Amino acid sequence: MERILVSACLLGSRVRYDGGAKRVNDELVTRWRAEGRVVAFCPEVSGGLPVPRPPAEIVGGDGSAVVDGIARVLTETGEDVTEPFVRGAHRALDAAREAGARVALLKESSPSCGSLRVYDGSFAGTRVPGRGVTTALLARAGVRVFNEDQIPEAAAYLYGLEGGPAA
């Protein structure tokens, strides 16, 4: 049975920067939890950041550029929080490898978990195409990342890995 790494905030854990959660109410996610497939993880908390914490955005690129040491993750006041973001990404990858997870369901637009877009670093609410730090690292390691709007696609991929129908 395939396992899936899931952003803890999507499962209702209050780990977001503002102390909140972004729970998804989806029967597939509920089923995956009941089946023991879900590996809940918050890379930012695992990387050492507190809850709540100042919002942070990637400046100078996206998560791939952060992993490559080109871009940084900064708070609105300019505090550099790149190291905990990178550390959390590596811990997420370790958790995925330990669980044998080849699929992840992560929170879109997060500087850690965004898979299609992230905030542009201006703190003006502008999103641009790109990946978060954790998503970039997971993707490089062959973990397929989906966001909370792509649960059917994640399910099809997950069940395809098992050679079965997308249930």
Side-chain angles (χ1 to χ4, degrees):
M1 176 176 61
E2 287 289 327
R3 307 280 307 276
I4 182 167
L5 188 75
V6 179
S7 290
C9 65
L10 295 178
L11 299 171
S13 295
R14 300 178 65 83
V15 293
R16 287 176 42 87
Y17 75 94
D18 59 3
K22 287 286 187 175
R23 177 186 290 278
V24 294
N25 292 312
D26 185 277
E27 76 177 48
L28 282 169
V29 175
T30 300
R31 181 186 329 157
W32 293 339
R33 288 182 89 171
E35 293 171 348
R37 292 179 182 269
V38 170
V39 178
F41 201 86
C42 176
E44 294 174 23
V45 170
S46 181
L49 294 170
V51 177
R53 58 189 168 273
E57 295 186 6
I58 300 171
V59 176
D62 73 349
S64 293
V66 173
V67 171
D68 292 338
I70 297 166
R72 310 299 294 162
V73 185
L74 304 176
T75 67
E76 194 168 13
T77 61
E79 178 187 358
D80 190 331
V81 290
T82 303
E83 184 177 320
F85 272 79
V86 171
R87 182 171 46 245
H90 282 279
R91 289 183 177 162
L93 178 56
D94 290 345
R97 285 179 171 157
E98 184 176 311
R102 297 185 284 170
V103 183
L105 179 66
L106 304 181
K107 178 70 186 106
E108 188 56 75
S109 301
S110 155
S112 288
C113 299
S115 59
L116 300 175
R117 58 195 168 274
V118 293
Y119 289 95
D120 70 354
S122 70
F123 293 90
T126 304
R127 291 184 286 182
V128 295
R131 295 177 165 174
V133 179
T134 297
T135 297
L137 191 65
L138 290 174
R140 286 182 184 188
V143 176
R144 182 78 182 271
V145 179
F146 297 89
N147 67 48
E148 67 273 21
D149 296 322
Q150 299 173 315
I151 294 171
E153 293 91 337
Y157 187 78
L158 181 73
Y159 297 129
L161 289 172
E162 295 175 333

